[in-house]
Each structure stands twice: as structure tokens, then as C-alpha cells.
Amino acid sequence: MSRGAGDRGLGGGSSALAEEAFRLLVDSVEDYAIFLLDPRGRVASWNAGAARIKGYRAEEIIGEHLSRFYAAEDVARGKPDIGLERARADGRFEDTGWRVRKDGSLFWAHVVLTAVHEAGGKLIGFAKVTRDLTEQRLADEALRLSEARLAATLTSIGDGVISTDAEGRVVWMNPVAERLTGWITAEAIGRPIAEVFRIIHEETRAPVESPVSRVLRDGVVVGLANHTALIARDGTERAVADSGAPIRIDGGPVQGVVLVFRDVTEERLADEALRQSEERLRLLIASVDDYAIFMLDPTGRVITWNPGAQRIKGYQAEEIVGQSFSRFYPEEDVAVGRPKQVLAAAAEHGRTEEEAWRVRKDGTRFWAHVVVNAVHDARGQLRGFAKVTRDLTQRRQAEENERALIREQAARAAAEGAERRLRESEERYRESSEQLSIILQNVDEGIVVHGKDGRLVYANDAAARTWGFSTGPDLVTARREDIRPRFEITDEDGTPVPPEEMPPRAVLRGETPGPRLLRIRNRTTGGQWWALVAASGVRTVDGEPYLAVSIWHDLTNQRQAEERARYLAEATAVVTSSLDYETTLRRIADLAVPELADWCGVDLMQPDGTLAQLAVAHVDPAKVELARELNRRYPPDPASPTGAPNVVRTGKPEIYADIPEELLVAGARDDEHLRFIRVLGLRSAMCVPLVAGGKPVGAISFVSAESQRRYGASDLELAVEIGRRAGLAIDNARLYRDAQQAIRARDEFISIASHELRTPCTTIQLRLQSLQRSLERQPQQAVASGRVAHDVKVALDQMARFTRLIDQLLDVSSLAADRFKLEPAANDLGAIVSEVAARYAPAMTEAGCELSYQAPLRPVTGNWDRLRLEQVVTNLISNAIKYGPRKPIELRIEQSDGTARLTVRDQGIGISEHDQARVFEPFERAVSVRHYGGFGLGLWITRKIVEAHGGAIRVQSRPGEGSTFVVELPSDRDEEHAA
Amino acid sequence: VKLRRAVLVVEDDRPIRDSMVQVLQDEGYAVLVAIDGSEALGLLRDTPELPGLILLDLMMPTMDGFQFRAEQLADPRLSSIPVVVLSADVNVFARAETLHVQGVLKKPLSLDALLGCVEQHCG
């Protein structure tokens, strides 16, 4: 475990023991993956939790990069590195998202990444704590959905529902329960159930044990009890049927009870009334003989018979009771199953009515008007059918019109009834929703409920806020035409979503739409948000949806983060796609439009300090031309206190969330300029520096106009990041250019080196081949020994030259690799210079150079590497000869204050001021390389040797007037020497 | 020994120059020398009898082989003297093409190639 994390857990200066304890603790944690990353994001430690959650063993994963834990598309978007960068910058980075296990499966992870620093502040890595939230996430989603459904269902059903805790105390009740008990939820909560739900035996008047206590005691579902009366808070008595069921989680102990009950008073009264009227009815029916009135059992067998039936159909009661009513139908109707259809239709709709041919006992047919009513008992159980048949054979035509009229009226009445019921249901819903809304107000998700006609009947505050209202009721009462035009609702891909495609509408049409991702843009402010909308329906008993409940889950933050990450990833890809940074910057400008801006411009600082517009992008090419024209006519003033010039000067970004008229007027040079700017319709703007090599070199401007988008802090953050990455393009291009130059210099050097190495080889080869030729021509005779001796000497001289070149190459390689070692000893500079000068005397004579030499009488001594100093003197003298033939050369040695100074002066071609800075660099030479022998490394090697001795070398020169090289070396002091 | 036409060697590296002079004299050629292009031009302009071949190094101080060749071609009296270029530069063949010379010898020089070439023009 890292020292950094250990310190944090156990206190500063913790002992090794504490550190060990901490390590054991981490290793044993299984619920959290806790591990360390090195500064580059590679896994450095691993614990049991990490092994369990991610599936890797320590030895498999240590040393791997953390992008292993990310899905390929996240890696492509640079997410792993973004996390590291954020942790590096902010100290901590927290994220929730999908991660990948070793087996490729995904899990929903909560990740905290903490930068770990040494005591000195140096970053030594990151501590990463990951928790697998997959199950929790799935469970949370399921729970939220089922709770919403349950609440909607329980508040809309016709039964009273009370739930209690394990002590039998009320925790929740629905509006029906409130009405029946006379208690409101707020007052009932926490009271014993027996107080709120007081029940007695209807006849004995003795208190009855509440189903709740029986459920709590026995842990089973308790069914309906008969003859139970509920005494409401105000003393009202109602006959109720009740039942209770235990609430358990996964078969565990009983956590509470759900009590469901309903008012059966009306059912009782209905039963009683029926009993009393049945007898009267029987007598009445028995006396009717204009109508056949009889009962069928549920299967269609005749149960009762009246005189009218007897008269119309011709059967006696004893003949027909117990027989199927299908015998009243003509054969062809029976063949197609008509009798059964009639009963089924009556059972379904409660009633059927038709006029059709019927058959009498004697086989003759008559035109009958038949009404079949389904008969249900108080419990709603189908008991049979009442059938009323009338012989219309003679009055058929006369009654036709009347019946049509009646039917029409009936239909209208039915429709009105249905509508009334629906209104009542909605009314009831509105009441109950007040209760529910208290709960729903505390939910982050926007929740709205639409009625059958599509009108909004409920909205919580969270929903209202997203549409620009402060409370749910404000939104509910607002006129739709005042809201809808202000917003543009589109799909993920920007396709507009019309109102009829919205999930609640689909639900109300009876469809079951899946959740839908929507983008909502405020046309006025330009602000936009994302929501995942899931809608489900509350249905009537016959399955007809009459309410649509929609949950709007705000995904704006995730979407924006994703969009930014995607945009950044694209920008990064663009940055690395080309080494021509001008192309890259143009593409970055193009990329910004229209996602981030309506306009994007890139300005680059020119060598003269002015800004040049490199790129400008706009979706509309005509506008691009306009912007270019503007820039041509009114180039930015480098001294401007705002905008790109200021951003480049200060390196600080600027943001104008709004661009007020005053700002436009202040920024305009003249009326023409102001008119120009106004045409652009600027709304909001940002300008960020383009930083390369640590310095601002330009600016990128993002401007919003047509889209009405208003920039905020997060937009600026993104823009700054783009500026930073775009700067990388410039850095990359420069590095590439430098690398190309280095490669060219290297190639050039190789070419020079091969040229130089071949030169001595040419002489050696010519000499040796010439000797060989002589031997071949006169095999019998000795070749003149003088000639042989001369040729061998020349060849050996060239071999020595060749060897010197090789040594120089080796020096280069050791200098470049910093493997350069001195072997210092006490040496006399005068002795070294004299020796080298003597060695070069013949060359100087040949070149026509006259040497003058000045040195103090006393030796000038120091602790120097003799061979290396010989090399320095050799290089300087041979350069003087090479570049100053036929001209005098001066050598001077001086000593003062512990410094020995060697001056070598020639009167040759000289070096321009510009080239003086380069001559001490490798592969640089003031004159065209190829015209003078050597590698062009001599002065560089000379400088390296002098500097390795703690000394310095400099040159004074003017073209055509010769050069003076001065070498200064630390030496023994004069007085030391004198002493 | 039959009379052979003179050869002009233009080469700044003294050991090479000396070696070439020696091997050519060994073969009976009269040899003229110049240490760079300007010396060669001066020599040619002063000489009544022109050499049969110029062996020309390209990389020389003061006036290099390219400049020399340009001056030579511009001078009607000198332009017809054949020139063979000597070079250690790996890319010399490509560069020599622009000089319209009669041949190229690559350094290190092979004695046979050198003598063969001189024989062809001055033998």
C-alpha cells in the first residue's frame, strides 16, 4: 500500500506496523475493489475485492493500464485518461458508469479516484476505489417503478386499503380507507389499527378481532368475515367485508399488514330489496300475457314461464322448463350458434336486443322483439338471463321507428353515463393525488399524469421546474398553447417528436410504449435538457386506459458529459490526425459548428505581433464570407482590451454569457462596423487561448447567434480544454519540424562522414594498387625501395588520418551519450600548445601561414586532461590553417586570477555574427560543409572538452577579417605557483 | 613511349592529388595540377596546348567543381575538353548528370578504372 494512502488512514508518520495493518485491512476488503495506479494509470496493487469484482488475479493485472476496465467505446472516447487527468488536476475524481470485468461482462460501478502525493508533493499514483452497484442499480430502478405503479393503483381502486407496521400501527391509507374510517392519513399514522379500523359483529354488537392482529399472530392471509360492521370516527356504521395479508420480504418475518376492505352496505340493501320485490315481481309477471317473460339459467335452460310465453310460444310450463331456449330459434340460426352468441353478448354487455324470426311449438314462425338481460346477484355473479319476447308480426312496421328512437336515446344515455363515470373517476383521482403529491414532491424525477383527453391532471414540482414553472399546480393550470411553442422536443438524433408521439399519448391510445430519450430545447434561452420518459397507464376495470403516468428522468448531466467527452475525443483525434497544424485548426473550427457554436474562428499571432484569422466556420457559407470580409476590413486591434487580442496577450479566456447592445457599440470602430456586427446577430460568446509551448500563440472564438445558445461555465471549461488540445497540434507540428530538421542534419552528417572517410582511402588505395601494378608488370625485378618506402609512408599517414576521423566519430557518440570522462592531471598549457604547434609547423609552412606565439615565462599550470587539451589546441590550429591559408596565425597564452587563457587568432574568411552562435553546435558549420574537409564537429567537441574542464570558449569575428577563438580554463593561481 | 596528351587533375586533397600525379606519370602521361576550380581555370586560360582530359573533384574550397564546369562550358575555347568527375559523394551520379560530363569515377578510386578512363581520352 502506498505511503500516501497509509498516512491518510492511520495518521502522519505512521510506523511500518501501522502500514502493514492498513495493507492487511485493504487486502481483506471484498466489497470494494481498492487498488493503486501508478502515475501513468497502470495497476500497482490489487486486493481481494478487486479480484472478486473485476475477476482478475493480482498477477494477471498488475502492470496493466486501467483502460482494461473500460468498454472499448469508453476507451476510444478517452475516458480512462480523462479520469486520471481530472484526479491529477482536482485531487479526486468520482464517476458512476459501466465497467468491464475480465470475462467481458459489464457492471455498474461507482469509482473514486484519488491522487496520491509524496510528502514533497510529487504525484506517485492514484488510489482507486470501485464498488459494484449493478444489483443496487437494477433493484433501485425496479423499486421506483413498482412504487409509482402501486401508489397510482392503490389510490385509484374502489376498496379501502390500510397498511400497518409489525406492531399493527397505521403507516399508510388510501383515500377510500380515509372516507370509510373517517380518519385522514396524517392523523391516523402511528395509531393502533384497532383505533382507526373499529369493527363489531353486526348482530351481537361485540367487538370483532381485527384481521390485522390475526395476520400478525398467525402470519397468514385472513379472508372475508361476515356480518362485520365498521364504526367510523363519527360513529357512522357500515357493513364491511375485509381481508388482511402479511407483508414479508423474501419469506422473512412479517413486517406489517395490508388490510383491504369495502363497504357492503349497499350490497346488503340490494339483496334485501331483491328478496322483497321478487315475490311481487313473480306475481306481476304471472299476470302478463302480452309478453313472454321468462328466466334462463346461465347455460340457457328455461327456469320460469309465464302466461304470455305460453300464449306466444305455445308451450306449457311443464313442457318447456328445463329445456334449452334454442328451440325457440329457427334451424338455420341454431346451426350457426346464434342462441349462444345472444347469451354471450348479454353476459358481456348486460343486455341484448333484437328483432328476428322465432319458432312456435307448432313450427310456425313469428317476428319477435327480444330483449335479453343478464341477471347478476349482489356480488356480481351471473345468475342467468331475463328474456322478454313480444310478438311483433303485425306491428312490426309501426314499431320500427319507435324502437330506433328508443335505441338512440339509450345509446345517448349510456354515453352520458360513461362520461359522467369518467369525470367522477378523474375527480376522485384529483382528490387522492393530493395525498400522493406530498410523496411525489420529494422525488427528483419529474412526474406528470395526463387524463384520458390528454389534459394534464397532475404534475410534481420537479416536472414543473423543467418547463419553467415553480410548482406543479402552476404547470397543470397553464394553457398548453402557452408552453408547447416555447420548446422544441426532438429525438436523440434531432428529429422533432410531435405531440401525438409522446409516450403519455401512446399510453392513452392503449399502446405500451418503451422509455424514450428526448431532447428538449428552450427556444427562448437556447438551454436544453435531456430526459428519459417512461409512461404507463392506469386502466379501468375493462382495461381501458384512462390515466397516463409519465416519469421524466433528467439525463442532461450525463448527456452533456457524454457530448463533451465525444467532442473532446473528436477534437483530440483531429489534433493527432495531421502534422499540418493549419489544417488541424481549420478542422477544429469546423468540428465546433454547430454542436458548440454557430460560429467558430481561429486567430494566430503573427511574427509582427498582429493576429491573422486562420479559420472561420459557420454552417452557412454566406456567413463565413461575411466574417472574412469583416476581418479584412476591421482587423483586430492588437491593443484591444477585450476579445482575441486580449486573450492572446493575457492567456486568460473570456466569456460573454450575453452580448448587450452597449458591448456591441463599445466594440464597433464606426457605424459601418456596428451595422456589420449587428447582421451577425451575436447572442453569446467565448474566446479561449491557443497555448503552444506554454505560451498563448492564438485564440479560438466560439460565438452563438441563430441557435440562441447561452454559454455557461461548463461550456467555457470545454472550450478552454479544446484550446489546450488544439495547442498540442501546434506543439506537435513544431516537434515534427524539429525532428525533420534533426533527421536532415543526421543524413547530411552521414553523407559528410562517408565523404571524409573515403578521402584517405582513395590515397591508400591508389598507392597500394600502384605498387601491386609495378609488381605484376615486372615480377622478376625488385621494385625500387625508395618508391616502396615513399608509398608506404603516404599510405600510413592516410591511415593515421583515417584513424583520427574514427576517433572523432567515437567522441561524438560518447559526447552525445554523456559518457565523456576526463583524466585530469597537473599539466602545463604552454607545453601542450608548443607541442601541437610544432606538429603543425610543416602544414603551416605548406599553407603559407606564419605563426606568432606569446606566453608568460612562468608555466601556466592546471589540473587538466592532457590528451583532451591537445585535441582542443589541434582543432583550433587546424581550423586556423584551413580557413586562413596564406595568412598569419597568432597563439597567445595568459593567466590571471586562477584562469588560464588561450587565444588563437587567424586572418581568414571569418564568421558572420549570425553564424557565431552556431559554430559550437554539432553538425553546424558557418561555411558550406562540403567545401572544407572534416566532419564539422571540431568546434563542438572543443566546446564540450573545455566545458567539461569547467571552462568556456568564445569567438570574436567579422567576415573577411578573420576569427579569434578564446579558451578560458580554471588554472592554478599565480601565487600558488610562486609559492 | 608514345606521346600522350596531358591530363589536368583538379583536386584539393593533397595526398590524393600527389598519388594521382604519380600513377599517371608512371603511365607516361603529362600531368597538370590545380588545387581548386579557379586555379584550374587560370591554368587552362594560360596554357597554349589544352589537356586531353580534366579529372575534376567536386568538393573544393574557393571554387568547386560545379562552378568550374559552368565556367568551362561558357568558355568556347575550353568547353570541348572532356571532363571526368571524381567524387566520394554517394549521390554523385545523380548530381554529375546535371554537369553533362563524360564520366564519373567514384572514390576511393580504383587504379584500373582511373587508368582505363584516362587511356580512353588521352591514350
Side-chain angles (χ1 to χ4, degrees):
Chain A
M1 211 45 231
S2 88
R3 194 181 312 145
D7 283 351
R8 203 162 304 140
L10 297 165
S14 64
S15 66
L17 195 62
E19 208 163 295
E20 173 67 8
F22 187 71
R23 189 184 59 76
L24 288 172
L25 174 67
V26 168
D27 283 352
S28 63
V29 170
E30 288 198 358
D31 287 342
Y32 293 83
I34 303 180
F35 56 97
L36 271 180
L37 300 174
D38 71 13
R40 290 164 62 190
R42 288 177 313 210
V43 175
S45 78
W46 202 241
N47 77 337
R52 191 183 66 77
I53 292 174
K54 312 228 178 202
Y56 294 97
R57 294 190 310 277
E59 62 272 23
E60 293 176 316
I61 196 66
I62 285 183
E64 296 290 336
H65 192 259
L66 87 155
S67 51
R68 275 283 191 102
F69 308 135
Y70 285 79
E73 61 271 25
D74 286 346
V75 175
R77 287 174 189 164
K79 274 185 92 168
D81 289 331
I82 290 169
L84 289 182
E85 260 174 56
R86 293 272 305 274
R88 192 175 291 135
D90 306 339
R92 186 170 183 282
F93 174 65
E94 189 168 343
D95 184 27
T96 308
W98 293 107
R99 293 292 187 276
V100 184
R101 294 196 186 91
K102 183 188 173 191
D103 62 8
S105 61
L106 293 174
F107 67 99
W108 184 254
H110 175 255
V111 179
V112 177
L113 199 56
T114 310
V116 179
H117 299 276
E118 270 181 353
K122 186 187 168 211
L123 180 77
I124 57 169
F126 302 91
K128 195 169 180 221
V129 179
T130 303
R131 195 170 167 204
D132 182 350
L133 294 181
T134 311
E135 285 180 12
Q136 198 176 320
R137 177 183 158 91
L138 294 175
D140 281 355
E141 277 175 5
L143 190 63
R144 270 206 300 279
L145 199 59
S146 78
E147 274 174 357
R149 279 206 192 105
L150 198 62
T153 307
L154 290 181
T155 49
S156 61
I157 64 173
D159 288 356
V161 180
I162 299 178
S163 62
T164 76
D165 60 16
E167 272 79 46
R169 291 176 189 281
V170 173
V171 292
W172 188 82
M173 53 204 293
N174 74 350
V176 177
E178 287 183 331
R179 185 167 55 79
L180 295 181
T181 60
W183 288 84
I184 63 168
T185 308
E187 288 182 81
I189 282 175
R191 291 181 190 269
I193 187 69
E195 192 180 336
V196 175
F197 188 71
R198 280 176 58 206
I199 44 177
I200 57 169
H201 192 277
E202 259 183 324
E203 271 134 36
T204 65
R205 314 301 293 168
V208 174
E209 186 187 12
S210 156
V212 171
S213 49
R214 284 175 59 198
V215 171
L216 288 175
R217 192 179 62 231
D218 301 330
V220 295
V221 175
V222 175
L224 293 166
N226 286 324
H227 311 296
T228 307
L230 170 67
I231 311 296
R233 203 176 180 188
D234 61 0
T236 314
E237 186 177 322
R238 284 189 186 85
V240 292
D242 54 24
S243 69
I247 302 172
R248 299 174 193 269
I249 294 168
D250 295 334
V254 176
Q255 306 277 341
V257 177
V258 177
L259 177 67
V260 180
F261 57 96
R262 65 194 156 89
D263 185 354
V264 294
T265 314
E266 283 166 22
E267 287 175 28
R268 292 283 173 75
L269 292 175
D271 281 354
E272 185 56 31
L274 189 66
R275 263 200 309 281
Q276 288 172 6
S277 69
E278 231 163 41
E279 186 57 23
R280 283 202 301 273
L281 204 59
R282 205 169 49 75
L283 291 171
L284 176 68
I285 287 168
S287 64
V288 170
D289 69 357
D290 283 347
Y291 294 85
I293 301 176
F294 55 96
M295 278 290 291
L296 302 176
D297 73 8
T299 67
R301 280 192 304 254
V302 176
I303 305 171
T304 67
W305 201 243
N306 80 335
Q310 190 176 326
R311 190 184 65 76
I312 292 169
K313 311 229 180 204
Y315 293 99
Q316 297 293 324
E318 56 274 22
E319 286 177 304
I320 195 66
V321 167
Q323 300 294 319
S324 171
F325 81 122
S326 60
R327 64 169 56 189
F328 308 141
Y329 285 78
E331 270 174 44
E332 63 272 22
D333 284 354
V334 175
V336 299
R338 181 74 191 141
K340 276 185 188 156
Q341 288 167 9
V342 168
L343 290 191
E348 191 183 341
H349 304 298
R351 182 174 186 278
T352 69
E353 181 176 356
E354 70 173 351
E355 283 186 16
W357 292 108
R358 290 292 186 271
V359 181
R360 296 196 183 90
K361 182 186 174 189
D362 61 8
T364 58
R365 294 185 175 202
F366 65 102
W367 185 254
H369 172 250
V370 182
V371 176
V372 179
N373 277 291
V375 177
H376 294 95
D377 64 15
R379 296 256 185 277
Q381 199 70 32
L382 181 70
R383 286 282 172 80
F385 302 91
K387 202 167 175 216
V388 179
T389 305
R390 205 169 156 200
D391 183 351
L392 292 184
T393 314
Q394 287 163 23
R395 292 168 55 191
R396 176 181 164 187
Q397 191 54 49
E399 283 185 3
E400 183 83 2
N401 297 335
E402 191 189 342
R403 219 177 40 248
L405 189 64
I406 291 168
R407 211 158 42 206
E408 194 179 304
Q409 283 168 347
R412 195 177 300 136
E416 281 168 5
E419 200 173 303
R420 194 179 61 243
R421 277 197 301 281
L422 195 60
R423 266 204 305 278
E424 284 166 3
S425 159
E426 280 180 16
E427 188 58 36
R428 208 164 57 232
Y429 182 81
R430 273 194 207 96
E431 285 168 15
S432 63
S433 69
E434 281 169 22
Q435 299 297 321
L436 188 60
S437 70
I438 294 168
I439 300 166
L440 297 184
Q441 285 316 340
N442 296 315
V443 175
D444 280 345
E445 274 82 3
I447 297 178
V448 293
V449 180
H450 289 87
K452 176 68 186 166
D453 57 0
R455 278 180 305 113
L456 197 58
V457 295
Y458 172 79
N460 69 353
D461 290 352
R465 279 191 297 271
T466 56
W467 298 99
F469 293 86
S470 46
T471 69
D474 291 345
L475 177 59
V476 172
T477 52
R479 293 194 315 160
R480 179 179 304 198
E481 52 274 27
D482 289 344
I483 305 173
R484 190 74 201 222
R486 284 168 43 206
F487 295 91
E488 176 191 75
I489 300 181
T490 62
D491 252 345
E492 197 170 2
D493 58 10
T495 317
V497 177
E500 59 273 15
E501 277 184 27
M502 296 288 283
R505 293 285 189 98
V507 163
L508 292 172
R509 281 197 302 270
E511 297 163 16
T512 48
R516 186 155 188 180
L517 184 61
L518 297 175
R519 183 173 72 173
I520 300 92
R521 202 175 71 79
N522 185 321
R523 293 181 203 269
T524 321
T525 65
Q528 62 174 15
W529 50 285
W530 293 81
L532 187 65
V533 182
S536 56
V538 176
R539 291 161 191 274
T540 59
V541 275
D542 22 326
E544 193 73 12
Y546 74 100
L547 288 174
V549 179
S550 312
I551 300 176
W552 291 62
H553 183 65
D554 188 346
L555 287 179
T556 309
N557 288 342
Q558 284 100 309
R559 292 295 307 194
Q560 282 179 347
E562 278 174 29
E563 268 187 11
R564 293 210 175 93
R566 190 168 57 231
Y567 184 76
L568 269 186
E570 280 175 29
T572 308
V574 165
V575 163
T576 52
S577 67
S578 166
L579 283 163
D580 171 7
Y581 68 84
E582 296 198 354
T583 307
T584 302
L585 293 175
R586 272 187 211 109
R587 287 178 59 193
I588 283 185
D590 289 342
L591 194 63
V593 174
E595 270 75 17
L596 192 61
D598 299 322
W599 292 93
C600 183
V602 180
D603 294 291
L604 272 191
M605 169 104 86
Q606 301 303 299
D608 64 1
T610 61
L611 281 180
Q613 188 174 56
L614 174 70
V616 54
H618 190 283
V619 272
D620 178 359
K623 293 277 182 89
V624 170
E625 213 26 70
L626 184 65
R628 289 224 177 91
E629 175 67 19
L630 183 66
N631 197 267
R632 263 194 298 277
R633 292 177 56 174
Y634 301 96
D637 172 9
S640 169
T642 56
N646 187 49
V647 168
V648 176
R649 202 167 42 241
T650 62
K652 295 208 173 65
E654 290 180 2
I655 181 165
Y656 301 95
D658 297 292
I659 301 181
E661 175 70 13
E662 307 88 79
L663 193 66
L664 291 185
V665 173
R669 308 260 177 85
D670 52 38
D671 289 351
E672 175 75 9
H673 192 202
L674 185 60
R675 264 197 300 283
F676 243 123
I677 299 174
R678 283 207 177 111
V679 170
L680 299 177
L682 310 181
R683 168 77 176 79
S684 186
M686 303 184 285
C687 187
V688 300
L690 200 54
V691 178
K695 280 186 300 198
V697 297
I700 309 184
S701 307
F702 300 87
V703 180
S704 141
E706 290 82 350
S707 71
Q708 296 296 314
R709 181 186 180 123
R710 191 169 178 275
Y711 293 123
S714 59
D715 296 307
L716 186 63
E717 196 179 312
L718 175 64
V720 167
E721 183 61 22
I722 289 165
R724 207 177 62 74
R725 296 197 187 192
L728 286 180
I730 299 175
D731 277 343
N732 283 345
R734 287 182 177 165
L735 285 174
Y736 178 73
R737 191 192 58 203
D738 292 350
Q740 289 298 94
Q741 276 173 358
I743 289 167
R744 268 198 301 280
R746 188 202 63 190
D747 288 350
E748 177 82 344
F749 174 70
I750 288 171
S751 166
I752 294 165
S754 72
H755 182 272
E756 286 306 304
L757 292 170
R758 278 171 195 199
T759 301
C761 288
T762 298
T763 301
I764 295 168
Q765 182 155 321
L766 281 177
R767 293 289 175 179
L768 294 179
Q769 283 181 340
S770 153
L771 277 179
Q772 187 183 33
R773 195 177 173 91
S774 304
L775 289 169
E776 281 165 3
R777 256 189 211 161
Q778 300 154 317
Q780 307 307 320
Q781 295 174 25
V783 178
S785 67
R787 169 71 190 275
V788 173
H790 178 68
D791 283 353
V792 167
K793 182 187 179 304
V794 171
L796 286 175
D797 282 350
Q798 294 304 304
M799 277 309 297
R801 178 178 173 187
F802 189 82
T803 309
R804 278 198 305 278
L805 289 169
I806 299 283
D807 285 346
Q808 211 174 19
L809 283 183
L810 291 175
D811 275 350
V812 172
S813 111
S814 67
L815 283 171
D818 279 336
R819 277 188 280 104
F820 188 60
K821 286 240 164 52
L822 293 181
E823 288 171 19
N827 276 297
D828 176 3
L829 183 58
I832 295 171
V833 173
S834 312
E835 189 183 313
V836 175
R839 207 184 293 156
Y840 271 87
M844 282 192 253
T845 308
E846 188 190 337
C849 297
E850 198 177 305
L851 177 73
S852 69
Y853 176 50
Q854 283 182 356
L857 291 174
R858 281 195 307 275
V860 175
T861 56
N863 198 32
W864 303 313
D865 182 325
R866 184 183 173 97
L867 289 178
R868 288 298 182 185
L869 280 197
E870 276 182 17
Q871 216 177 332
V872 167
V873 179
T874 301
N875 284 339
L876 293 177
I877 291 178
S878 65
N879 271 357
I881 298 170
K882 194 196 286 183
Y883 297 110
R886 296 178 290 279
K887 301 279 171 58
I889 295 172
E890 275 176 58
L891 294 178
R892 190 163 65 241
I893 297 173
E894 294 158 294
Q895 185 176 35
S896 62
D897 298 334
T899 299
R901 186 176 302 111
L902 167 66
T903 306
V904 180
R905 177 157 183 256
D906 66 55
Q907 293 176 26
I909 58 172
I911 307 166
S912 74
E913 200 171 333
H914 171 70
D915 291 330
Q916 287 173 23
R918 301 191 297 128
V919 291
F920 296 109
E921 296 303 320
F923 314 129
E924 297 280 3
R925 192 187 287 193
V927 291
S928 170
V929 170
R930 295 166 181 277
H931 298 165
Y932 292 87
F935 290 142
L937 290 168
L939 286 176
W940 178 58
I941 293 171
T942 300
R943 173 171 71 90
K944 285 286 188 180
I945 293 171
V946 170
E947 286 174 356
H949 279 93
I953 183 168
R954 60 178 191 271
V955 63
Q956 296 155 357
S957 180
R958 285 174 72 167
E961 296 181 11
S963 306
T964 304
F965 286 86
V966 179
V967 173
E968 289 179 334
L969 295 167
S971 71
D972 299 335
R973 295 194 160 265
D974 272 356
E975 53 278 12
E976 285 169 26
H977 186 79
Chain B
V1 178
K2 72 175 179 177
L3 190 67
R4 294 178 149 174
R5 296 187 72 186
V7 179
L8 170 59
V9 174
V10 189
E11 165 67 63
D12 66 322
D13 187 84
R14 186 182 157 179
I16 296 180
R17 198 168 64 226
D18 290 351
S19 302
M20 288 174 70
V21 169
Q22 187 180 321
V23 297
L24 290 171
Q25 284 176 345
D26 283 354
E27 296 301 315
Y29 294 102
V31 186
L32 303 169
V33 294
I35 65 163
D36 63 27
S38 62
E39 200 176 291
L41 273 181
L43 190 146
L44 288 171
R45 284 172 181 154
D46 292 345
T47 301
E49 195 179 342
L50 294 173
L53 177 68
I54 299 171
L55 292 171
L56 179 67
D57 184 26
L58 288 180
M59 308 303 165
M60 293 177 292
T62 316
M63 182 190 284
D64 67 15
F66 297 94
Q67 285 169 285
F68 168 81
R69 179 62 175 160
E71 297 268 351
Q72 185 213 348
L73 290 174
D75 185 332
R77 184 170 164 262
L78 307 181
S79 62
S80 61
I81 308 171
V83 170
V84 169
V85 158
L86 313 172
S87 182
D89 190 322
V90 276
N91 295 319
V92 72
F93 294 101
R95 303 184 67 182
E97 212 155 273
T98 64
L99 294 170
H100 309 290
V101 291
Q102 280 65 36
V104 173
L105 288 174
K106 206 160 181 298
K107 290 178 180 174
L109 294 172
S110 144
L111 185 62
D112 288 345
L114 175 66
L115 294 179
C117 175
V118 175
E119 166 93 33
Q120 191 191 329
H121 293 95
C122 303

